[in-house]
Amino acid sequence: MRTEPIVLGIETSCDETGVGIVRGHTLLADAIASSVDEHARFGGVVPEVASRAHLEAMVPTIERACDTAGIALRDVDAIAVTHGPGLAGALLVGVAAAKALALGLGKPIYGVNHLAAHVAVDQLEHGPLPEPCIAMLVSGGHSSLLRVEDVTVGVDPMGATIDDAAGEAFDKVARLLGLPFPGGPHIDRVARDGDSVHIDFPRGLSSRRDLERHRFDFSFSGLKTAVAHWVEAQERSGEPVPVHHVAASFQEAVCDILVRKALDAASSEGIDDLLIGGGVAANSRLRHLAEERATTLGIRVRVPRPGLCTDNGAMVAALGAEMVARGRTPSSLDLPADSSLPITSVLAG
Ligand code: KG4
Ligand code: ZN
């Protein structure tokens, strides 16, 4: 009987050392070591600290993943690794580890794009990807709308943020409200007790004039400034800042514009499937709003469970497994880490 190949995926583009193991579309292990606590007091990820933490965590995380999956390294059929985009030093650690494994085990290596991996991960939960689909990737570093024809070949960018990423906006506003880093999950939690229409914060790039040039682009820096001004005015007036209302109203502004533009992208392309990925896809309001509005348009929404939305190794393994399944040529062993890898480049040559 032919069994599907086992792929080990390594993710180190930011502050999570992720090692995932899959067999085809079946997730066998998803081991993560995070250095997030080491960055918290700086209010953002410090690249040097992240690289060092990856170095220390790599071997134990690989061992943990193999233990959980109940396999030995020699059972692995292929190695996949995020080779960009991300923090240069952090990526280097993952790429070097992947090369060492590929060389030592005599197995092929697939250098893959972090963003395409955020799309591919959904097949571990919901089965084969609907292709073509519209993917909205919203994370700490990116906010993009993509048309995905074949996730192993390429994706077409339709729009992106012109300033802050959605997750970055969550993190900055959380900081303003005195919530810990990373702020997204805290805003999500605090907003549950708040009123989302308490403050009417601006929706970026939504005026008729903006839509002519930036129909599928996002902007969150004006929103962030609007929140800062509102909080300052409140403090000046001597009134306490209603953190839960600010969080809920801010979250509503972000989710409203994300969902509006994603559904517009799907409708304009005549595509009935919308996939949402990246750390911000873990947001409960975003998931709810997307489902609610998509249903009325006959559009299906797929969002992986929160643990698969944030950075992890399983997503890299999932994309690697798809590369193997679709017979893509592996990368060469001199594949570079590329911090500014464009989204259109899915597999390293
Ligand atoms: O995809 P990810 O883990 O890393 C990047 O590639 O950036 O995304 C991390 C981002 C952070 O900005 C974090 O605040 C945000 O995702 N995030 C959330 C939630 N969980 C994580 N934002 C809003 N609501 C959440 N529940
Ligand atoms: Zn990510």
Side-chain angles (χ1 to χ4, degrees):
M1 194 186 77
R2 191 186 154 274
T3 55
E4 288 177 296
I6 295 180
V7 179
L8 182 144
I10 297 180
E11 157 61 37
T12 61
S13 68
C14 194
D15 56 344
E16 252 95 39
T17 312
V19 179
I21 301 176
V22 303
R23 180 186 282 122
H25 290 172
T26 307
L27 179 61
L28 302 181
D30 188 16
I32 297 233
S34 177
S35 59
V36 68
D37 293 344
E38 295 173 52
H39 307 287
R41 70 192 165 102
F42 301 106
V45 176
V46 184
E48 287 306 316
V49 174
S51 310
R52 194 185 185 85
H54 286 308
L55 209 52
E56 285 165 7
M58 184 55 67
V59 171
T61 312
I62 292 173
E63 285 171 352
R64 206 147 45 81
C66 287
D67 281 352
T68 307
I71 62 159
L73 270 178
R74 64 174 176 279
D75 300 327
V76 170
D77 297 298
I79 308 292
V81 61
T82 300
H83 84 114
L87 302 171
L91 288 166
L92 258 177
V93 178
V95 169
K99 286 179 181 176
L101 283 178
L103 200 61
L105 298 168
K107 296 293 158 71
I109 184 170
Y110 294 82
V112 302
N113 190 304
H114 179 81
L115 297 169
H118 269 303
V119 176
V121 73
D122 188 62
Q123 65 193 8
L124 298 178
E125 191 168 355
H126 299 118
L129 285 180
E131 288 168 328
C133 67
I134 297 294
M136 177 164 70
L137 292 185
V138 274
S139 72
H142 297 271
S143 307
S144 309
L145 274 173
L146 315 166
R147 184 193 154 95
V148 181
E149 204 69 48
D150 177 336
V151 73
T152 64
V153 173
V155 289
D156 257 335
M158 293 180 70
T161 180
I162 61 166
D163 40 56
D164 292 347
E168 202 178 348
F170 269 96
D171 295 339
K172 287 178 176 169
V173 166
R175 195 183 165 112
L176 244 156
L177 296 176
L179 298 169
F181 173 84
H186 296 283
I187 291 204
D188 196 347
R189 176 177 48 80
V190 171
R192 285 188 194 142
D193 300 324
D195 179 2
S196 63
V197 296
H198 191 82
I199 311 154
D200 187 17
F201 285 129
R203 274 59 170 162
L205 299 182
S206 65
S207 71
R208 188 181 304 171
R209 210 167 123 248
D210 283 335
L211 287 174
E212 278 169 22
R213 282 189 54 214
H214 293 289
R215 182 168 170 192
F216 302 123
D217 291 326
F218 303 106
S219 166
F220 297 108
S221 83
L223 169 61
K224 177 193 64 192
T225 308
V227 176
H229 286 162
W230 196 94
V231 170
E232 273 164 29
Q234 188 77 5
E235 281 167 346
R236 262 200 313 273
S237 74
E239 294 289 318
V241 176
V243 172
H244 52 312
H245 290 327
V246 179
S249 303
F250 158 76
Q251 178 173 270
E252 193 65 18
V254 175
C255 297
D256 176 31
I257 201 69
L258 286 176
V259 171
R260 243 197 267 173
K261 294 209 174 200
L263 292 176
D264 184 28
S267 302
S268 79
E269 293 290 309
I271 290 178
D272 292 337
D273 289 283
L274 169 65
L275 198 143
I276 309 181
V280 180
N283 185 269
S284 59
R285 181 63 186 149
L286 179 62
R287 298 165 89 96
H288 182 82
L289 203 59
E291 288 283 351
E292 191 179 74
R293 291 189 189 165
T295 307
T296 63
L297 296 171
I299 292 173
R300 292 176 291 268
V301 180
R302 293 182 28 156
V303 194
R305 63 177 178 269
L308 292 179
C309 285
T310 44
D311 288 352
N312 60 76
M315 67 191 215
V316 182
L319 182 52
E322 212 47 35
M323 295 289 177
V324 176
R326 299 190 194 183
R328 305 286 168 240
T329 308
S331 307
S332 76
L333 261 179
D334 60 3
L335 100 117
D338 184 348
S339 63
S340 52
L341 185 69
I343 174 60
T344 42
S345 169
V346 171
L347 174 64

